Amino acid sequence: GTNENFCNLNFKSASIRRAPDNKAPFTDLTGGAADVMITDSIEALHRQNTTPALCALHTQPPLTPGHTVVISTQLDFITSFNEFLNTPEAEAALEKLTVKWLGE
């Protein structure tokens, strides 16, 4: 689906695991079998609120029109990712994506 397409387009060097169901990614994250997952913002924010070990990265504007976000137990990863999003390179890339996908 949308999340898999996003991963295939954006994570060229990552080892991508496809979950057998919608519960497995959260077990993998909290159990240390996965570092991050890509999902929609509503699910990520809900899981962050119901599972204290998880941290959701909710970008504004969203990474895709479907509001894809990153969720992880790795606070240092989230911190680094947030710092990257504030760089000129990230701003330029996000601007290109916004224009391409949202027409703004």
Side-chain angles (χ1 to χ4, degrees):
T2 304
N3 298 336
E4 184 173 357
N5 291 340
F6 180 86
C7 290
N8 291 335
L9 288 171
N10 293 284
F11 301 130
K12 303 297 184 195
S13 299
S15 174
I16 300 172
R17 294 178 53 183
R18 283 143 186 92
D21 58 53
N22 288 338
K23 295 179 183 176
F26 305 104
T27 303
D28 289 349
L29 283 168
T30 57
D35 295 318
V36 300
M37 73 170 286
I38 301 300
T39 190
D40 60 87
S41 58
I42 292 188
E43 180 177 32
L45 295 171
H46 168 72
R47 293 294 182 159
Q48 174 181 272
N49 289 333
T50 60
T51 310
L54 300 177
C55 305
L57 169 69
H58 184 85
T59 62
Q60 290 298 324
L63 298 174
T64 67
H67 300 277
T68 299
V69 299
V70 177
I71 188 168
S72 176
T73 58
Q74 308 297 316
L75 185 56
D76 56 341
F77 170 80
I78 297 296
T79 301
S80 297
F81 196 84
N82 280 335
E83 289 172 2
F84 166 75
L85 289 175
N86 290 317
T87 67
E89 296 84 6
E91 288 180 18
L94 290 172
E95 178 62 29
K96 282 184 179 180
L97 290 171
T98 299
V99 170
K100 179 178 179 179
W101 295 106
L102 301 178
E104 297 178 19

